[in-house]
Amino acid sequence: MTMTPPAPPEPDDGLPPLHRRAVLQFGDAGRPGEDAGIRREITLAAEVPVALVFNGISHAVMMATPRDLEDFALGFALSEGILDRADDCRGIDVEVIDAAAAGLPEGMPGVEVRLEISVRSFERLKHRRRSLAGRTGCGVCGVESFAALDLSPARVHAQAWASRIDLPVVLRAIDGLRARQTLNAEAGALHAAGWAGLDGALVDVREDVGRHNALDKLLGLLARTGRLDAPGFAVLTSRGSHELVRKCAQLGVQAMATVSAPTAMGVQMASLRGVALWGLCRPPRAVRYAP
């Protein structure tokens, strides 16, 4: 699908994606002071509440790493069907809200990401919110019924070039992912979503403490830069769950490869939507589960 992106966002300001903290480490036998623990400083990934606000109405609060939040918000809005196209978003503003103003515990600030969206998209969002109000939940993801899970939308329009995404291409992308995970290299607690070309070379990588967030950041970046139609595929450090497959299919992604195994529903979703799903991608092997 062709999308005209909004103007490139300003860089994130305010909250750092990583924190340093003093800890006590145990288990280093023979080191002086081991009985009381060895004091050292470590790096931790930031995890903050991010409120996604559409035309002044707060729609969702997600726990996320405070980096690339404009891409995250746009990717979420597209992959969840709030927007049809990137140009349905007229603008994005990010503001750090201090803990007291946000009603959060001391030392835990929040972030508001405010999106101005088209009238058509906003009317649809309001209708969706009304349909959620007052219903008895089925217990799955907080939706009001099984049908609301949106598990069987249209298939991805197949591209001839997708057949070139084979084992060597997938493994090259997987093999290059670790070196591009700069935040995870320091904190060890972040997922990554990358975009690879048909040669397996990684073009872009986004990181977040949440696997869904990392993918939404990547999809938002691709939409913002008008590259959702570009030949390539998504590479993820997570398992292949049905939500991740659905998000990729929603935006026409032809193929995805994950480090861990998929779920049964993830494989079924990929089969129904026409997404090539690779999993357990651990050189020298990988498994293609669908089609």
Side-chain angles (χ1 to χ4, degrees), residues 131-132 135 138 140 142-151 246:
S131 71
L132 289 171
R135 303 276 187 99
C138 70
V140 183
V143 297
E144 79 278 14
S145 67
F146 291 127
L149 284 171
D150 190 28
L151 295 181
R246 183 184 59 77

Side-chain angles (χ1 to χ4, degrees), residues 62-260:
M62 314 288 285
M63 299 303 296
T65 302
R67 174 176 281 188
D68 305 309
L69 292 181
E70 296 92 343
D71 289 340
F72 169 54
L74 180 60
F76 176 89
L78 289 165
S79 69
E80 294 299 320
I82 297 170
L83 306 180
D84 294 322
R85 304 180 304 273
D87 59 6
D88 282 328
C89 179
R90 313 305 196 206
I92 304 177
D93 293 311
V94 178
E95 181 181 356
V96 176
I97 309 296
D98 66 53
L104 295 168
E106 183 180 354
M108 295 185 181
V111 179
E112 276 194 2
V113 185
R114 306 184 187 105
L115 298 87
E116 291 297 321
I117 62 177
S118 67
V119 172
R120 180 189 70 255
S121 300
F122 188 52
E123 288 301 318
R124 184 171 57 200
L125 177 61
K126 288 193 295 183
H127 177 75
R128 180 186 300 180
R129 289 171 61 85
R130 284 195 298 268
S131 71
L132 289 171
R135 303 276 187 99
T136 299
C138 70
V140 183
C141 304
V143 297
E144 79 278 14
S145 67
F146 291 127
L149 284 171
D150 190 28
L151 295 181
S152 53
R155 288 176 63 85
V156 170
H157 178 68
Q159 302 287 348
W161 50 256
S163 62
R164 294 165 56 187
I165 303 171
D166 57 12
L167 177 65
V169 170
V170 167
L171 291 185
R172 182 184 180 193
I174 290 288
D175 200 42
L177 192 55
R178 182 182 294 274
R180 298 286 296 273
Q181 294 177 249
T182 55
L183 297 179
N184 189 65
E186 294 190 61
L190 294 101
H191 281 289
W195 184 256
L198 297 183
D199 59 355
L202 286 169
V203 181
D204 296 290
V205 173
R206 288 290 186 260
E207 294 181 89
D208 198 277
V209 291
R211 62 187 187 275
H212 303 87
N213 300 344
L215 178 58
D216 277 334
K217 287 179 177 181
L218 177 69
L219 295 175
L221 170 65
L222 295 173
R224 177 172 59 79
T225 54
R227 290 184 287 134
L228 280 170
D229 285 334
F233 62 104
V235 187
L236 309 171
T237 57
S238 63
R239 65 181 182 271
S241 63
H242 86 275
E243 312 102 303
L244 299 178
V245 176
R246 183 184 59 77
K247 283 178 178 289
C248 284
Q250 181 76 15
L251 297 187
V253 174
Q254 299 283 310
M256 57 185 291
T258 63
V259 172
S260 297

Side-chain angles (χ1 to χ4, degrees), residues 22-70:
V23 298
L24 291 175
Q25 179 172 303
F26 295 84
D28 294 325
R31 294 188 61 177
E34 168 54 23
D35 289 345
I38 306 299
R39 184 172 295 276
R40 59 185 296 247
E41 193 174 69
I42 63 169
T43 300
L44 299 173
E47 183 180 23
V48 303
V50 177
L52 301 178
V53 181
F54 295 91
N55 289 8
I57 295 179
S58 183
H59 175 69
V61 177
M62 314 288 285
M63 299 303 296
T65 302
R67 174 176 281 188
D68 305 309
L69 292 181
E70 296 92 343

